[in-house]
Amino acid sequence: MSNLQKEDFSAWYIQTIKQADLMDYSPVRGCIIFKPDSYEIWEHIQEAFNLRFKEEGIRNAYFPMLIPESFFTKEKDHIEGFSPELPWVTEAAGEPLEERLALRPTSETMIGTAFSDWINSYRDLPYEINQWANVFRWEKKTLPFLRTSEFLWQEGHTAHEDEASARERTMRMLEIYKETIEGLLAIPVYSGQKTPSERFAGAVDTYSVEAMMKDGKAVQAGTSHYMGTKFAEAFDIKYLNRDNEHVLAHTTSWGVSTRLIGATIMVHGDEQGLVLPPAIAAKQVVLVPVGPWKKKTEILERLEVLSKDLKAAGVRVLIDDSDNSPGYKFNEWELRGVPLRVEFGPRDLTNNQVMIKMRDIEGKEAVSLDGIVESIQTALADMQTRLLETARKNRQQHEYTHIETLDELKEHIENKRQEGETPGFVLVGWDGTDETEEIIKEETGFTTRNIPFDPIVEKKTCIVSGKLAKHTVWLARAY
Amino acid sequence: MSNLQKEDFSAWYIQTIKQADLMDYSPVRGCIIFKPDSYEIWEHIQEAFNLRFKEEGIRNAYFPMLIPESFFTKEKDHIEGFSPELPWVTEAAGEPLEERLALRPTSETMIGTAFSDWINSYRDLPYEINQWANVFRWEKKTLPFLRTSEFLWQEGHTAHEDEASARERTMRMLEIYKETIEGLLAIPVYSGQKTPSERFAGAVDTYSVEAMMKDGKAVQAGTSHYMGTKFAEAFDIKYLNRDNEHVLAHTTSWGVSTRLIGATIMVHGDEQGLVLPPAIAAKQVVLVPVGPWKKKTEILERLEVLSKDLKAAGVRVLIDDSDNSPGYKFNEWELRGVPLRVEFGPRDLTNNQVMIKMRDIEGKEAVSLDGIVESIQTALADMQTRLLETARKNRQQHEYTHIETLDELKEHIENKRQEGETPGFVLVGWDGTDETEEIIKEETGFTTRNIPFDPIVEKKTCIVSGKLAKHTVWLARAY
């Protein structure tokens, strides 16, 4: 078997998501269909975040999708950032509209307008809400899950009395993103601050969690923005403070999207196809009767009991009792990423055992039928932990911290190319100017990912100018 | 106090939803903001239906919102029905589009196109999916929750081998709608078949569940459609059957929307404001300290313990320990529809009791602190049942079955108007022709709601033509 994942990661990705029946293309450019197995991943992501948001006292709401053009023009940086990507509704019910309506790319303008009405006094603050919604960004290059014209996301929006409280919320959500992405999706992330050129359009500060795919490229997995009073000024979000003065609120916004599905596939998938963390797999366990099982009805009966017991314990399980060969079934469920396979045949029945194959480990293990439900639950929990550890190790192997100059970076990239290896993430010193950042991008295709809060190494000099480094920053190619 | 609900139901409705903080208008015509307390009702509706759909083996997916114009033109009746209400995207990313894209009013065309690709053999059938999505219908008259330009809904779509299986699914979903709307929202509904003129655009048969509001007007609360092979023909959904022939699939679709929120308010609300069934209330219980409670810290401490115990038992509870007066608090939580209020003061502490006020019952009851969590759970369950019974009784009082002619109907309407009463739902005989149906509508403003499966009375002659009635049909004014 050729190693498609290593040789052509993009081709591997497309093949994997098609074979695993996760998506289909639609006739509208860059819009995909989320088939049930990918949509269920999204549902598990939603559940996990809703739980965390609720703990924080943040409630869900829903705002109109269509945004009048005049809303966008109120915040200059915001419209500049988003206008190149907006689709516009210009007619409805057979008549031209008086004002064009944008399909939301994000809802700061709509929610800012509402906040302006709803927030009057410091007693109304903090005002903290979230919405789950579809959003639109008409981008030139698209890639299923990772960059689509329409995608699904959550966007949280909060307003606060002062900078300290707004910044606390900004950082807290970044932390929740890190914990949930690592815990649920088993994807290790780097937390840090985006450089000014990579900030959200209209933000004062943008923070991100960045993940490394198996090909060494980066996915920005979640962002959290401190807006200062910029949006409050543009949308007139003022409140009566404790000193009876009308002052501007400080706002934040933060989001994760269906690109997390793509990141999960690119972090855990292997040559056999999809590998899903148990926490989000639509099916966690597949039960496959093997050997001459049709001649012995007890085989299927025992599997049906096991299936019932597993379901009662909250495990998502299915039995594959189709006429396909065991080999065909094994392959089918492996490429769909089912975390754990149970094989059970007449010999196993005699030995009071099942054979268990974990999706991420070579070889099978005989496991006693006594306490089998607990054994399976433990195996799933172990796999969840192991996937994160494995992803951490993979990531560590492609972190480079020794590069001091632009020439060394180019040499590094060229060397890795010749080795058929990824150049990975490179930690460098940066003088903090737009100019040197732009030079890095133009000459290497690498972009700044973020300025990590706890860099594994502190870099002293700027990779381009050789001047004293203002920041230590992660560079990588990015999706 | 004037009886606004009786005198001007529309004014009462708008006042109630604004005071209960359920929604806000948006600057885009007919698009509303679902504030957290109404969105949470929707989340409870989603949970309940997702559970039922899952039991049926129906999985969620997500399809693109934008639908190319050419898709609509494939099914003639469908485009005729929906084209007057479509908003269109005509430009994106600064350029005109080659083909206009409609904002989906429903997804038969998009999903039909996908089914055509996905369904090849009888082994693929039935193919059954659902999606939760925003949809758009640019209607002239709008009303919060009940008729909005953008609304949220679920739309199920299934494909089957034959008519019997498709019809079974159509009827099964109608049954699930009835059970869930009655059980969860405490709204009694009439199940029946829509007349041909009221069918979904492109359906062979449309069935509905119809609810009566407190003003006697109807809300179509859910619909289920059998499409025959019409959409399969238009979108080429063919499969290889058991005899190895390529034949057309039979399809269905069915949906409920955020108008259920509006219906819930209009069925249960009263002069004091919102009345919410416990099953969907964001807050089921409010704890209010009364009397000189600030002087006795034990009062609030005991309420905090109770709050914790209730939460642990899965009850949604809040404590109102603000500085507002008890009267203010009582009014505030009544107009927001909180089902159960607990009052607790120094005297109650002495007596080892709390005072309980149910939102739908006059007067308070003293309840022992021993076993208080169970008492509250029972009270909430009782209220859920009682609301359905009360709604059934209200409905029964405005069901009229004695009307035989159009003149009698007009007289009935005029009499009720003079009494300041609603003309309610009227059960009549109908000869089954479009002409007589149109005459009823033009001369009375009443429309056919549905042909009930089990009419409480069988009518013999058509109310308009006097001919033999083909059907017994419910008439009403409708939202």
Side-chain angles (χ1 to χ4, degrees), chain A residues 24 27-28 34 36-37 40 43 59-62 64-65 71 84 86 88-91 93 100 118 134 150, chain B residues 24 27 34 36-37 40 43 59-62 64-65 71 84 86 88-91 93 100 118 134 150:
Chain A
D24 205 349
V28 180
F34 293 81
D37 276 350
E40 187 166 335
E43 291 181 300
R59 299 184 68 195
N60 290 330
Y62 186 78
M65 190 197 70
F71 279 33
L86 295 179
W88 293 98
V89 173
T90 60
E91 340 168 340
R100 295 195 298 177
W118 299 345
N134 55 343
E150 178 185 18
Chain B
D24 206 349
F34 293 81
D37 276 350
E40 187 167 335
E43 290 180 302
R59 299 183 69 195
N60 290 331
Y62 186 78
M65 190 197 70
F71 279 34
L86 296 178
W88 294 97
V89 173
T90 60
E91 344 170 336
R100 295 195 297 176
W118 298 346
N134 55 342
E150 178 184 16

Short mmCIF file of all heavy atoms in Angstrom, two decimals, chain A residues 24 27-28 34 36-37 40 43 59-62 64-65 71 84 86 88-91 93 100 118 134 150, chain B residues 24 27 34 36-37 40 43 59-62 64-65 71 84 86 88-91 93 100 118 134 150:
data_model
loop_
_atom_site.label_atom_id
_atom_site.label_comp_id
_atom_site.label_asym_id
_atom_site.label_seq_id
_atom_site.Cartn_x
_atom_site.Cartn_y
_atom_site.Cartn_z
N ASP A 24 -20.62 15.82 1.42
CA ASP A 24 -20.75 15.82 -0.02
C ASP A 24 -20.66 17.27 -0.46
O ASP A 24 -20.93 18.18 0.31
CB ASP A 24 -22.09 15.20 -0.45
CG ASP A 24 -21.99 14.61 -1.86
OD1 ASP A 24 -20.99 14.88 -2.56
OD2 ASP A 24 -22.92 13.88 -2.25
N PRO A 27 -23.89 22.05 -5.28
CA PRO A 27 -23.67 22.80 -6.52
C PRO A 27 -23.30 24.26 -6.27
O PRO A 27 -22.86 24.94 -7.18
CB PRO A 27 -25.00 22.67 -7.26
CG PRO A 27 -25.98 22.20 -6.25
CD PRO A 27 -25.25 21.58 -5.13
N VAL A 28 -23.48 24.73 -5.03
CA VAL A 28 -23.11 26.12 -4.75
C VAL A 28 -21.66 26.15 -4.28
O VAL A 28 -21.28 25.45 -3.35
CB VAL A 28 -24.05 26.73 -3.68
CG1 VAL A 28 -23.66 28.17 -3.41
CG2 VAL A 28 -25.50 26.64 -4.14
N PHE A 34 -23.16 18.59 5.27
CA PHE A 34 -22.69 17.87 6.45
C PHE A 34 -23.56 16.63 6.58
O PHE A 34 -24.72 16.73 7.01
CB PHE A 34 -22.81 18.73 7.70
CG PHE A 34 -21.89 19.92 7.72
CD1 PHE A 34 -22.22 21.08 7.04
CD2 PHE A 34 -20.69 19.88 8.42
CE1 PHE A 34 -21.37 22.19 7.06
CE2 PHE A 34 -19.83 20.98 8.44
CZ PHE A 34 -20.18 22.13 7.76
N PRO A 36 -24.78 12.88 8.10
CA PRO A 36 -25.03 12.59 9.54
C PRO A 36 -23.77 12.30 10.37
O PRO A 36 -23.68 12.75 11.51
CB PRO A 36 -25.97 11.38 9.48
CG PRO A 36 -26.76 11.60 8.23
CD PRO A 36 -25.76 12.16 7.24
N ASP A 37 -22.79 11.58 9.82
CA ASP A 37 -21.62 11.24 10.65
C ASP A 37 -20.74 12.45 10.98
O ASP A 37 -20.06 12.45 12.01
CB ASP A 37 -20.79 10.14 9.99
CG ASP A 37 -21.35 8.75 10.30
OD1 ASP A 37 -22.25 8.64 11.16
OD2 ASP A 37 -20.89 7.77 9.68
N GLU A 40 -23.02 14.75 13.44
CA GLU A 40 -23.06 14.27 14.83
C GLU A 40 -21.81 14.67 15.60
O GLU A 40 -21.88 14.95 16.80
CB GLU A 40 -23.27 12.75 14.87
CG GLU A 40 -23.51 12.29 16.30
CD GLU A 40 -24.05 10.87 16.45
OE1 GLU A 40 -24.69 10.36 15.51
OE2 GLU A 40 -23.80 10.28 17.52
N GLU A 43 -22.62 17.98 16.75
CA GLU A 43 -23.56 17.95 17.86
C GLU A 43 -22.85 17.67 19.19
O GLU A 43 -23.18 18.25 20.22
CB GLU A 43 -24.67 16.93 17.60
CG GLU A 43 -25.60 17.36 16.48
CD GLU A 43 -26.73 16.37 16.21
OE1 GLU A 43 -26.42 15.20 15.89
OE2 GLU A 43 -27.90 16.75 16.29
N ARG A 59 -25.86 32.52 28.15
CA ARG A 59 -27.05 31.88 27.58
C ARG A 59 -27.08 32.01 26.06
O ARG A 59 -26.51 32.93 25.49
CB ARG A 59 -28.31 32.50 28.19
CG ARG A 59 -28.37 32.30 29.70
CD ARG A 59 -29.66 32.83 30.27
NE ARG A 59 -30.79 32.02 29.83
CZ ARG A 59 -32.06 32.40 29.94
NH1 ARG A 59 -32.34 33.59 30.45
NH2 ARG A 59 -33.03 31.62 29.53
N ASN A 60 -27.79 31.09 25.42
CA ASN A 60 -27.92 31.14 23.96
C ASN A 60 -29.08 32.03 23.54
O ASN A 60 -30.08 32.14 24.23
CB ASN A 60 -28.16 29.73 23.41
CG ASN A 60 -26.91 28.87 23.53
OD1 ASN A 60 -25.79 29.37 23.49
ND2 ASN A 60 -27.10 27.56 23.67
N ALA A 61 -28.91 32.63 22.38
CA ALA A 61 -29.95 33.46 21.77
C ALA A 61 -29.84 33.27 20.26
O ALA A 61 -28.96 32.52 19.80
CB ALA A 61 -29.76 34.93 22.14
N TYR A 62 -30.72 33.92 19.51
CA TYR A 62 -30.58 33.85 18.05
C TYR A 62 -30.93 35.19 17.42
O TYR A 62 -31.99 35.75 17.67
CB TYR A 62 -31.47 32.74 17.45
CG TYR A 62 -31.22 32.59 15.97
CD1 TYR A 62 -30.09 31.90 15.51
CD2 TYR A 62 -32.06 33.18 15.03
CE1 TYR A 62 -29.83 31.79 14.16
CE2 TYR A 62 -31.79 33.07 13.68
CZ TYR A 62 -30.67 32.39 13.25
OH TYR A 62 -30.39 32.29 11.90
N PRO A 64 -31.03 37.76 13.82
CA PRO A 64 -31.30 37.66 12.38
C PRO A 64 -30.02 37.48 11.56
O PRO A 64 -28.98 38.05 11.89
CB PRO A 64 -31.96 38.99 12.05
CG PRO A 64 -32.62 39.41 13.32
CD PRO A 64 -31.67 38.95 14.40
N MET A 65 -30.13 36.67 10.51
CA MET A 65 -28.98 36.39 9.66
C MET A 65 -28.66 37.54 8.72
O MET A 65 -27.51 37.75 8.34
CB MET A 65 -29.24 35.14 8.84
CG MET A 65 -27.98 34.67 8.14
SD MET A 65 -28.36 33.52 6.80
CE MET A 65 -29.13 34.63 5.63
N PHE A 71 -25.22 48.87 8.66
CA PHE A 71 -24.64 48.42 9.92
C PHE A 71 -23.13 48.23 9.79
O PHE A 71 -22.37 48.53 10.70
CB PHE A 71 -25.25 47.07 10.34
CG PHE A 71 -26.57 47.17 11.01
CD1 PHE A 71 -27.48 48.16 10.67
CD2 PHE A 71 -26.93 46.27 12.01
CE1 PHE A 71 -28.71 48.25 11.28
CE2 PHE A 71 -28.15 46.35 12.64
CZ PHE A 71 -29.04 47.33 12.27
N PRO A 84 -14.83 42.24 1.36
CA PRO A 84 -14.46 41.45 0.17
C PRO A 84 -15.09 40.06 0.13
O PRO A 84 -15.03 39.40 -0.90
CB PRO A 84 -12.93 41.33 0.29
CG PRO A 84 -12.51 42.38 1.24
CD PRO A 84 -13.66 42.59 2.17
N LEU A 86 -18.41 39.24 1.35
CA LEU A 86 -19.84 39.21 1.67
C LEU A 86 -20.72 38.84 0.48
O LEU A 86 -20.56 39.38 -0.60
CB LEU A 86 -20.30 40.58 2.19
CG LEU A 86 -19.70 41.05 3.51
CD1 LEU A 86 -20.24 42.43 3.85
CD2 LEU A 86 -20.00 40.07 4.62
N TRP A 88 -24.61 39.19 -0.93
CA TRP A 88 -25.65 40.19 -0.69
C TRP A 88 -27.00 39.76 -1.24
O TRP A 88 -27.12 39.31 -2.37
CB TRP A 88 -25.29 41.51 -1.38
CG TRP A 88 -24.09 42.19 -0.81
CD1 TRP A 88 -22.82 42.13 -1.30
CD2 TRP A 88 -24.05 43.03 0.35
NE1 TRP A 88 -21.98 42.90 -0.52
CE2 TRP A 88 -22.71 43.46 0.51
CE3 TRP A 88 -25.02 43.47 1.27
CZ2 TRP A 88 -22.31 44.30 1.55
CZ3 TRP A 88 -24.62 44.31 2.30
CH2 TRP A 88 -23.28 44.71 2.43
N VAL A 89 -28.03 39.94 -0.41
CA VAL A 89 -29.40 39.81 -0.89
C VAL A 89 -29.81 41.18 -1.41
O VAL A 89 -29.71 42.18 -0.70
CB VAL A 89 -30.36 39.39 0.24
CG1 VAL A 89 -31.81 39.43 -0.25
CG2 VAL A 89 -30.01 38.00 0.74
N THR A 90 -30.25 41.22 -2.67
CA THR A 90 -30.63 42.51 -3.28
C THR A 90 -32.10 42.53 -3.69
O THR A 90 -32.63 43.58 -3.99
CB THR A 90 -29.78 42.80 -4.53
OG1 THR A 90 -30.00 41.74 -5.48
CG2 THR A 90 -28.30 42.87 -4.18
N GLU A 91 -32.75 41.34 -3.74
CA GLU A 91 -34.16 41.30 -4.11
C GLU A 91 -34.88 40.31 -3.21
O GLU A 91 -34.29 39.32 -2.76
CB GLU A 91 -34.37 40.81 -5.54
CG GLU A 91 -33.19 40.91 -6.44
CD GLU A 91 -33.36 40.16 -7.76
OE1 GLU A 91 -34.22 39.26 -7.87
OE2 GLU A 91 -32.61 40.48 -8.68
N ALA A 93 -39.11 38.67 -2.72
CA ALA A 93 -40.53 38.66 -3.08
C ALA A 93 -40.77 39.45 -4.37
O ALA A 93 -41.73 40.20 -4.49
CB ALA A 93 -41.36 39.22 -1.93
N ARG A 100 -29.24 46.89 0.46
CA ARG A 100 -28.72 45.52 0.36
C ARG A 100 -28.60 44.91 1.76
O ARG A 100 -28.27 45.60 2.73
CB ARG A 100 -27.31 45.53 -0.25
CG ARG A 100 -27.24 46.01 -1.67
CD ARG A 100 -25.90 45.64 -2.29
NE ARG A 100 -24.76 46.27 -1.62
CZ ARG A 100 -23.50 46.04 -1.95
NH1 ARG A 100 -23.19 45.18 -2.92
NH2 ARG A 100 -22.50 46.66 -1.32
N TRP A 118 -30.42 47.33 24.73
CA TRP A 118 -30.70 46.52 25.92
C TRP A 118 -29.91 46.95 27.15
O TRP A 118 -30.29 46.64 28.28
CB TRP A 118 -30.38 45.04 25.65
CG TRP A 118 -31.20 44.44 24.54
CD1 TRP A 118 -32.32 44.97 23.98
CD2 TRP A 118 -30.94 43.21 23.86
NE1 TRP A 118 -32.79 44.14 22.99
CE2 TRP A 118 -31.96 43.05 22.90
CE3 TRP A 118 -29.96 42.21 23.96
CZ2 TRP A 118 -32.02 41.95 22.04
CZ3 TRP A 118 -30.02 41.12 23.12
CH2 TRP A 118 -31.05 40.99 22.17
N ASN A 134 -25.40 29.66 11.26
CA ASN A 134 -24.66 29.55 10.00
C ASN A 134 -24.13 30.93 9.61
O ASN A 134 -24.81 31.93 9.81
CB ASN A 134 -25.55 28.97 8.90
CG ASN A 134 -26.85 29.76 8.70
OD1 ASN A 134 -27.25 30.54 9.57
ND2 ASN A 134 -27.51 29.55 7.58
N GLU A 150 -20.27 28.65 3.35
CA GLU A 150 -21.18 28.66 4.49
C GLU A 150 -20.60 27.72 5.53
O GLU A 150 -20.17 26.61 5.18
CB GLU A 150 -22.58 28.16 4.08
CG GLU A 150 -23.56 28.11 5.27
CD GLU A 150 -24.93 27.50 4.91
OE1 GLU A 150 -25.02 26.82 3.87
OE2 GLU A 150 -25.88 27.69 5.67
N ASP B 24 -37.02 40.74 20.50
CA ASP B 24 -36.92 42.13 20.11
C ASP B 24 -37.04 42.18 18.60
O ASP B 24 -36.77 41.19 17.92
CB ASP B 24 -35.60 42.73 20.59
CG ASP B 24 -35.70 44.25 20.77
OD1 ASP B 24 -36.72 44.84 20.34
OD2 ASP B 24 -34.78 44.84 21.35
N PRO B 27 -33.95 45.55 12.65
CA PRO B 27 -34.21 46.54 11.60
C PRO B 27 -34.58 45.89 10.26
O PRO B 27 -35.04 46.57 9.36
CB PRO B 27 -32.89 47.30 11.50
CG PRO B 27 -31.90 46.48 12.21
CD PRO B 27 -32.58 45.56 13.12
N PHE B 34 -34.46 36.32 18.83
CA PHE B 34 -34.91 35.38 19.86
C PHE B 34 -34.01 35.59 21.07
O PHE B 34 -32.86 35.16 21.07
CB PHE B 34 -34.78 33.93 19.37
CG PHE B 34 -35.72 33.58 18.23
CD1 PHE B 34 -35.41 33.93 16.93
CD2 PHE B 34 -36.90 32.91 18.48
CE1 PHE B 34 -36.26 33.61 15.88
CE2 PHE B 34 -37.77 32.59 17.44
CZ PHE B 34 -37.45 32.94 16.14
N PRO B 36 -32.74 35.16 25.08
CA PRO B 36 -32.47 33.86 25.74
C PRO B 36 -33.70 33.12 26.26
O PRO B 36 -33.78 31.90 26.13
CB PRO B 36 -31.52 34.25 26.88
CG PRO B 36 -30.75 35.41 26.31
CD PRO B 36 -31.78 36.19 25.52
N ASP B 37 -34.69 33.83 26.82
CA ASP B 37 -35.84 33.11 27.39
C ASP B 37 -36.73 32.46 26.33
O ASP B 37 -37.39 31.46 26.62
CB ASP B 37 -36.67 34.03 28.29
CG ASP B 37 -36.10 34.11 29.70
OD1 ASP B 37 -35.19 33.31 30.02
OD2 ASP B 37 -36.54 34.97 30.48
N GLU B 40 -34.44 29.49 24.74
CA GLU B 40 -34.37 28.29 25.58
C GLU B 40 -35.62 27.43 25.41
O GLU B 40 -35.53 26.19 25.45
CB GLU B 40 -34.14 28.66 27.06
CG GLU B 40 -33.89 27.40 27.88
CD GLU B 40 -33.33 27.66 29.28
OE1 GLU B 40 -32.71 28.70 29.51
OE2 GLU B 40 -33.54 26.78 30.13
N GLU B 43 -34.84 25.43 22.54
CA GLU B 43 -33.87 24.37 22.84
C GLU B 43 -34.56 23.17 23.49
O GLU B 43 -34.23 22.02 23.19
CB GLU B 43 -32.75 24.91 23.75
CG GLU B 43 -31.84 25.88 23.01
CD GLU B 43 -30.71 26.44 23.88
OE1 GLU B 43 -31.02 27.04 24.93
OE2 GLU B 43 -29.54 26.28 23.52
N ARG B 59 -31.59 10.56 11.56
CA ARG B 59 -30.40 11.29 12.01
C ARG B 59 -30.39 12.71 11.46
O ARG B 59 -30.97 13.00 10.42
CB ARG B 59 -29.14 10.54 11.57
CG ARG B 59 -29.06 9.14 12.18
CD ARG B 59 -27.77 8.47 11.80
NE ARG B 59 -26.63 9.12 12.46
CZ ARG B 59 -25.37 8.92 12.08
NH1 ARG B 59 -25.09 8.13 11.08
NH2 ARG B 59 -24.38 9.54 12.72
N ASN B 60 -29.70 13.59 12.18
CA ASN B 60 -29.58 14.98 11.75
C ASN B 60 -28.44 15.16 10.75
O ASN B 60 -27.43 14.46 10.82
CB ASN B 60 -29.34 15.89 12.95
CG ASN B 60 -30.56 16.00 13.83
OD1 ASN B 60 -31.69 15.88 13.36
ND2 ASN B 60 -30.35 16.24 15.12
N ALA B 61 -28.62 16.10 9.85
CA ALA B 61 -27.59 16.49 8.88
C ALA B 61 -27.75 17.98 8.66
O ALA B 61 -28.61 18.61 9.27
CB ALA B 61 -27.80 15.73 7.58
N TYR B 62 -26.87 18.56 7.84
CA TYR B 62 -27.03 19.98 7.51
C TYR B 62 -26.72 20.22 6.04
O TYR B 62 -25.65 19.84 5.55
CB TYR B 62 -26.13 20.86 8.39
CG TYR B 62 -26.41 22.32 8.14
CD1 TYR B 62 -27.53 22.94 8.70
CD2 TYR B 62 -25.60 23.07 7.29
CE1 TYR B 62 -27.82 24.27 8.44
CE2 TYR B 62 -25.89 24.41 7.02
CZ TYR B 62 -27.00 25.00 7.61
OH TYR B 62 -27.30 26.30 7.33
N PRO B 64 -26.71 22.99 2.57
CA PRO B 64 -26.45 24.41 2.29
C PRO B 64 -27.74 25.23 2.25
O PRO B 64 -28.78 24.75 1.81
CB PRO B 64 -25.79 24.38 0.91
CG PRO B 64 -25.14 23.05 0.83
CD PRO B 64 -26.06 22.12 1.57
N MET B 65 -27.64 26.45 2.73
CA MET B 65 -28.81 27.32 2.80
C MET B 65 -29.15 27.92 1.44
O MET B 65 -30.31 28.22 1.15
CB MET B 65 -28.56 28.47 3.78
CG MET B 65 -29.82 29.28 4.06
SD MET B 65 -29.45 30.86 4.81
CE MET B 65 -28.70 31.70 3.40
N PHE B 71 -32.71 24.89 -9.43
CA PHE B 71 -33.27 23.78 -8.65
C PHE B 71 -34.78 23.95 -8.49
O PHE B 71 -35.53 22.99 -8.52
CB PHE B 71 -32.65 23.76 -7.25
CG PHE B 71 -31.31 23.10 -7.18
CD1 PHE B 71 -30.42 23.18 -8.23
CD2 PHE B 71 -30.94 22.38 -6.05
CE1 PHE B 71 -29.18 22.57 -8.15
CE2 PHE B 71 -29.71 21.78 -5.97
CZ PHE B 71 -28.82 21.87 -7.02
N PRO B 84 -43.15 33.58 -4.87
CA PRO B 84 -43.53 34.94 -4.43
C PRO B 84 -42.88 35.37 -3.11
O PRO B 84 -42.94 36.54 -2.76
CB PRO B 84 -45.05 34.84 -4.24
CG PRO B 84 -45.47 33.63 -5.01
CD PRO B 84 -44.31 32.69 -4.95
N LEU B 86 -39.53 34.45 -2.06
CA LEU B 86 -38.10 34.16 -1.95
C LEU B 86 -37.24 35.43 -1.93
O LEU B 86 -37.42 36.31 -2.75
CB LEU B 86 -37.65 33.30 -3.12
CG LEU B 86 -38.24 31.90 -3.23
CD1 LEU B 86 -37.71 31.21 -4.47
CD2 LEU B 86 -37.91 31.10 -1.99
N TRP B 88 -33.37 36.72 -2.69
CA TRP B 88 -32.34 36.23 -3.60
C TRP B 88 -30.98 36.89 -3.35
O TRP B 88 -30.88 38.11 -3.23
CB TRP B 88 -32.72 36.54 -5.06
CG TRP B 88 -33.92 35.79 -5.54
CD1 TRP B 88 -35.22 36.26 -5.59
CD2 TRP B 88 -33.96 34.44 -6.04
NE1 TRP B 88 -36.05 35.28 -6.11
CE2 TRP B 88 -35.30 34.17 -6.38
CE3 TRP B 88 -32.99 33.46 -6.24
CZ2 TRP B 88 -35.70 32.93 -6.90
CZ3 TRP B 88 -33.39 32.24 -6.76
CH2 TRP B 88 -34.73 31.98 -7.09
N VAL B 89 -29.94 36.06 -3.34
CA VAL B 89 -28.57 36.57 -3.37
C VAL B 89 -28.19 36.71 -4.83
O VAL B 89 -28.29 35.74 -5.60
CB VAL B 89 -27.60 35.60 -2.66
CG1 VAL B 89 -26.15 36.07 -2.85
CG2 VAL B 89 -27.93 35.50 -1.18
N THR B 90 -27.78 37.91 -5.19
CA THR B 90 -27.42 38.14 -6.60
C THR B 90 -25.96 38.56 -6.77
O THR B 90 -25.44 38.56 -7.87
CB THR B 90 -28.29 39.26 -7.21
OG1 THR B 90 -28.07 40.46 -6.45
CG2 THR B 90 -29.77 38.88 -7.17
N GLU B 91 -25.29 38.92 -5.66
CA GLU B 91 -23.89 39.32 -5.74
C GLU B 91 -23.15 38.73 -4.55
O GLU B 91 -23.72 38.55 -3.48
CB GLU B 91 -23.70 40.84 -5.67
CG GLU B 91 -24.93 41.64 -5.92
CD GLU B 91 -24.74 43.12 -5.60
OE1 GLU B 91 -23.87 43.51 -4.79
OE2 GLU B 91 -25.51 43.90 -6.19
N ALA B 93 -18.89 38.74 -2.88
CA ALA B 93 -17.49 39.11 -2.99
C ALA B 93 -17.27 40.13 -4.10
O ALA B 93 -16.32 40.06 -4.87
CB ALA B 93 -16.63 37.86 -3.23
N ARG B 100 -28.81 33.35 -9.80
CA ARG B 100 -29.32 33.81 -8.51
C ARG B 100 -29.41 32.63 -7.54
O ARG B 100 -29.71 31.51 -7.93
CB ARG B 100 -30.73 34.38 -8.66
CG ARG B 100 -30.82 35.62 -9.48
CD ARG B 100 -32.17 36.31 -9.27
NE ARG B 100 -33.31 35.49 -9.69
CZ ARG B 100 -34.58 35.85 -9.54
NH1 ARG B 100 -34.88 36.99 -8.94
NH2 ARG B 100 -35.57 35.07 -9.96
N TRP B 118 -27.25 9.88 -3.68
CA TRP B 118 -26.95 8.97 -2.57
C TRP B 118 -27.72 7.66 -2.64
O TRP B 118 -27.30 6.67 -2.05
CB TRP B 118 -27.27 9.64 -1.23
CG TRP B 118 -26.45 10.86 -0.95
CD1 TRP B 118 -25.33 11.28 -1.62
CD2 TRP B 118 -26.71 11.86 0.05
NE1 TRP B 118 -24.87 12.47 -1.09
CE2 TRP B 118 -25.70 12.85 -0.06
CE3 TRP B 118 -27.69 12.01 1.03
CZ2 TRP B 118 -25.64 13.96 0.77
CZ3 TRP B 118 -27.62 13.13 1.87
CH2 TRP B 118 -26.61 14.09 1.73
N ASN B 134 -32.27 27.58 9.76
CA ASN B 134 -33.03 28.82 9.54
C ASN B 134 -33.58 28.81 8.12
O ASN B 134 -32.91 28.35 7.20
CB ASN B 134 -32.15 30.05 9.80
CG ASN B 134 -30.86 30.05 8.98
OD1 ASN B 134 -30.44 29.00 8.46
ND2 ASN B 134 -30.22 31.18 8.86
N GLU B 150 -37.52 35.40 8.68
CA GLU B 150 -36.58 34.31 8.96
C GLU B 150 -37.14 33.57 10.16
O GLU B 150 -37.56 34.20 11.13
CB GLU B 150 -35.19 34.85 9.32
CG GLU B 150 -34.19 33.75 9.69
CD GLU B 150 -32.82 34.28 10.15
OE1 GLU B 150 -32.72 35.48 10.48
OE2 GLU B 150 -31.86 33.49 10.18
#
